[in-house]
Amino acid sequence: MASADIVVDVWFADYPFRTYQGTSFLQPLRDQAAAFEQRHPGCRISVRGVDFWDMAQEVSEAVEQGRAPDVAGYYASDTRMALDTRTPDGRPRYVSVTEALAGRDRVLGEAVVLDDLEPAVRSYYTRSGELLCVPLSATTTVLYSNLTLLRLAGIAEPPRTWRELRTACEAVRALPGGHATGATWANHGWLFQQAVAQQGGLLADHDNGRAGTARTVDLASAAMLAWVSWWRQLHADGLFHYSGTPDDWEGCFGAFAGQQVAFLISSSKSAEELVGAGREAGFEVAVSAMPHNDDVPYAGNFVSGDALWLADGPNRVKRDHALAFVLSLLQPSAVAAWHRSNGFLPVTGAGQRLLEAEGWFARHPHHRAAVEQLRRSDGSPAALGPIIGRLTRIDDVLAAAMHDVLVHDADPAQRFAAATATAQQIVDDHIRVLSTTA
């Protein structure tokens, strides 16, 4: 194939919000694609946005129909789904970036900077020493605190542990004429995973699915029940605000912005929006690490977000152009531009240094917390987070169990044992489908 005929199909995960500059979410990536085409005449990057929830299913259907993309952006929770995607003849759809690079330090002139990836980000997508894909967007869980209320309550710093958070909630609730109940966060599976990871706990066998396909799951481990029981007591004592609806991220945002609560655990991606909401409402917002269990050593929090997977195939010229484009998105200017556009943490050291030199972090210090938290990770399979088939469905199982605990006073141990049985069936079904298509 002549280079002038090369078209690289790239499916990016798309989101229903705009950049901070007011453009469509994918516009910065379309701009990067246009710049790449200028540097590589004859190569066209065809960009398509796919709802991030639907990517795994859309690619699977496209593979069967012979129209799958050369690069696909999977959400982190779908990592196992990407690994298990097969071509019609049963081969893995994707090639690891390590294998595709074959030791090169440049691809079509684009520098290979994978060693400069933020360690916790790189490690999340590394398996058996190979980098599976190229991280694009990264986020983790952090704590948002209403500093104005904290100071009124005599608290100098955001809480760092569960015990400190409870104490701070009690102090805020005791304020004269106060209406803040304490804390809130979405009843969503991702936060359960983070809390378990912090405690060094595993959700699945085979090192959390990192040393092989996860075949058994445990949603009623000591680490899980410690989180659930602590949360339950916080709610029972009137220190936790629950809207009554699982996955209510917007409701939690609104409760914090409206000063119904003093604390919010949420994605680091929301830092700009939450700090801005506080400014508009007349209170100061601090961003810090997600509080952890006082009674066990801290292991780490892991990343979520999107990563770009490279399709394997016999046409090495086309694959190299796809790989080169993906690598171009890790150059310092591209990393900095992506961060400035949407708040995902900058995934390379060079990108962070560029932002620092520009004075970005001096003007936006709330964006430092996510990276600082990730650098405290011990790098264990627990701290890196789980890789499990159909993990998003297991998220729903966790949220449903916690809803019953909070609203219907279900016994945590019994309810999460039942949740384990449901999640195990989901994993068994996934493995059964794999065995019939292998």
Side-chain angles (χ1 to χ4, degrees), residues 122-342:
R122 183 178 63 245
S123 296
Y124 183 93
Y125 295 106
T126 297
R127 187 178 180 213
S128 301
E130 290 198 350
L131 185 65
L132 302 172
C133 48
V134 172
L136 173 66
S137 304
T139 180
T140 189
T141 42
V142 293
L143 176 70
Y144 297 93
S145 300
N146 183 327
L147 274 185
T148 304
L149 284 177
L150 263 63
R151 289 172 183 143
L152 289 173
I155 299 171
E157 298 179 348
R160 296 164 297 179
T161 67
W162 294 357
R163 194 171 297 132
E164 288 181 5
L165 179 58
R166 181 186 176 86
T167 299
C169 288
E170 291 172 340
V172 168
R173 185 176 62 177
L175 286 171
H179 302 287
T181 57
T184 193
W185 51 83
N187 178 15
H188 186 274
W190 186 45
L191 275 74
F192 293 83
Q193 296 168 35
Q194 293 283 359
V196 169
Q198 288 183 322
Q199 300 172 76
L202 301 175
L203 266 73
D205 63 345
H206 291 95
D207 284 343
N208 242 3
R210 294 182 168 277
T213 301
R215 294 182 177 275
T216 61
V217 292
D218 184 4
L219 305 189
S221 65
M224 180 68 77
L225 292 179
W227 163 252
V228 170
S229 298
W230 173 76
W231 179 358
R232 178 199 194 195
Q233 193 61 52
L234 204 67
H235 180 259
D237 293 341
L239 299 172
F240 180 82
H241 170 79
Y242 182 46
S243 70
T245 304
D247 301 341
D248 189 10
W249 297 92
E250 291 185 6
C252 294
F253 187 111
F256 182 78
Q259 300 193 77
Q260 294 174 260
V261 295
F263 303 102
L264 168 66
I265 296 176
S266 192
S267 168
S268 59
K269 162 70 182 70
S270 300
E272 196 72 19
E273 292 92 334
L274 284 162
V275 169
R279 187 183 305 117
E280 289 182 10
F283 65 92
E284 184 179 353
V285 177
V287 187
S288 59
M290 176 182 173
H292 59 87
N293 189 345
D294 308 72
D295 298 329
V296 296
Y298 173 76
N301 286 81
F302 59 92
V303 296
S304 195
D306 310 308
L308 302 174
W309 292 71
L310 184 68
D312 201 2
N315 189 332
R316 292 297 186 261
V317 174
K318 185 174 185 178
R319 194 178 80 177
D320 270 1
H321 278 77
L323 176 58
F325 172 63
V326 169
L327 293 172
S328 75
L329 299 178
L330 292 182
Q331 302 313 306
S333 60
V335 168
W338 189 232
H339 170 75
R340 286 192 301 265
S341 295
N342 52 51

Side-chain angles (χ1 to χ4, degrees), residues 138 228 348 371 422:
V228 170
T348 66
V371 171
T422 302

